[in-house]
């Protein structure tokens, strides 16, 4: 199989369709879209099964937060792993990516103060892990970004399994949260596709 790299960012249409493409990465191939949709549907179904199979005592506000964040994290992992997203988001300056990551502190706050009932220590430690990991990934040389991201990801997951473990049934959150942001979003990868020749 032959492959080629294509950094060309295609033009986007006006209106909501163009805005959606610019949010998710313009120029997604049919194969990417199919893989993204299939993977998202399967993993969302598995996460839903996990949420209902584990005995989580929560009211409707907690369930709303968990369902919204779960759907976004699964979809975000899949979207940010596509060539289109890599090409689009890594054509922007570092501060743009860091702002996107920092905005996700709101997810940590929602989990800490709605789902976990004011877990200040958990919130502060995970915010520090997120921001420190993101800064390291953005600052290291290009060839070191992937291993730096893997180290930051594993550190965050292991800290959450040992130092500040979530209640049973919520372990998925930190696994998907840090995967989406530190690995799928911040690691630049060449947008590779099958060669037509």
């Amino acid at each position: 199989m032959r492959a080629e790299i294509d950094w060309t960012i295609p033009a986007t249409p006006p209106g909501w369709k163009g805005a959606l493409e610019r949010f998710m990465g313009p120029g997604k191939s049919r194969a990417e879209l199919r893989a993204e949709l299939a993977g998202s549907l399967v993993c969302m179904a598995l996460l839903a099964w996990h949420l209902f199979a584990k005995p989580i005592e929560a009211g409707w506000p907690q369930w709303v937060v968990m369902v919204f964040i779960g759907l976004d994290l699964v979809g975000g992992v899949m979207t940010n792993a596509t060539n289109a997203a890599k090409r689009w988001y890594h054509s922007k300056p570092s501060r743009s990516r860091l702002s996107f990551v920092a905005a996700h502190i709101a997810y940590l706050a929602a989990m800490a103060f709605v789902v976990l009932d004011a877990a200040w220590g958990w919130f502060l430690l995970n915010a520090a892990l997120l921001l420190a990991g993101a800064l390291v990934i953005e600052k290291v040389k290009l060839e070191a970004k992937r291993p730096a991201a893997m180290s930051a990801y594993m550190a965050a997951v292991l800290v959450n399994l040992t130092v500040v473990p979530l209640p049973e049934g919520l372990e998925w959150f930190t696994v998907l949260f840090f995967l989406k942001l530190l690995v799928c979003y911040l690691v630049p990868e060449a947008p590779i596709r099958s060669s037509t020749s």
Side-chain angles (χ1 to χ4, degrees):
M1 176 176 66
R2 298 186 60 175
E4 61 185 27
I5 296 171
D6 183 11
W7 286 103
T8 307
I9 298 173
T12 56
W16 69 268
K17 188 175 179 185
L20 183 62
E21 282 190 31
R22 287 186 296 277
F23 181 71
M24 300 183 77
K28 198 172 291 182
S29 71
R30 282 194 181 130
E32 275 185 294
L33 184 58
R34 283 194 297 266
E36 179 185 0
L37 289 174
S40 293
L41 290 173
V42 168
C43 291
M44 285 175 186
L46 288 169
L47 180 57
W49 180 22
H50 175 79
L51 283 171
F52 289 107
K54 295 285 184 174
I56 302 171
E57 292 185 21
W60 70 264
Q62 291 82 18
W63 277 104
V64 168
V65 168
M66 286 187 289
V67 169
F68 173 81
I69 289 177
L71 292 174
D72 180 78
L73 292 180
V74 169
V77 166
M78 296 303 298
T79 296
N80 288 315
T82 64
N83 286 332
K86 294 290 187 183
R87 181 174 48 226
W88 178 246
Y89 286 111
H90 289 278
S91 68
K92 300 179 180 303
S94 177
R95 67 180 176 274
S96 174
R97 288 187 297 280
L98 289 173
S99 295
F100 179 82
V101 170
H104 282 74
I105 289 176
Y107 284 29
L108 294 173
M111 288 296 290
F113 303 114
V114 177
V115 176
L116 299 176
D117 194 26
W120 274 103
W122 182 88
F123 170 73
L124 293 172
L125 183 55
N126 277 288
L129 288 166
L130 176 66
L131 296 177
L135 284 170
V136 167
I137 296 162
E138 283 295 307
K139 296 300 179 189
V140 297
K141 289 186 176 181
L142 182 62
E143 58 270 25
K145 288 185 184 294
R146 188 179 293 112
M150 297 304 175
S151 297
Y153 173 68
M154 287 189 292
V157 169
L158 291 170
V159 163
N160 275 275
L161 290 175
T162 55
V163 180
V164 284
L166 286 167
E168 186 180 4
L170 295 176
E171 307 91 339
W172 57 270
F173 172 79
T174 47
V175 173
L176 297 179
F177 180 77
F178 288 104
L179 178 62
K180 172 188 174 179
L181 296 168
L182 299 182
V183 178
C184 295
Y185 180 72
L186 286 177
V187 176
E189 295 177 27
I192 194 167
R193 66 180 183 186
S194 302
S195 176
T196 54
S197 56

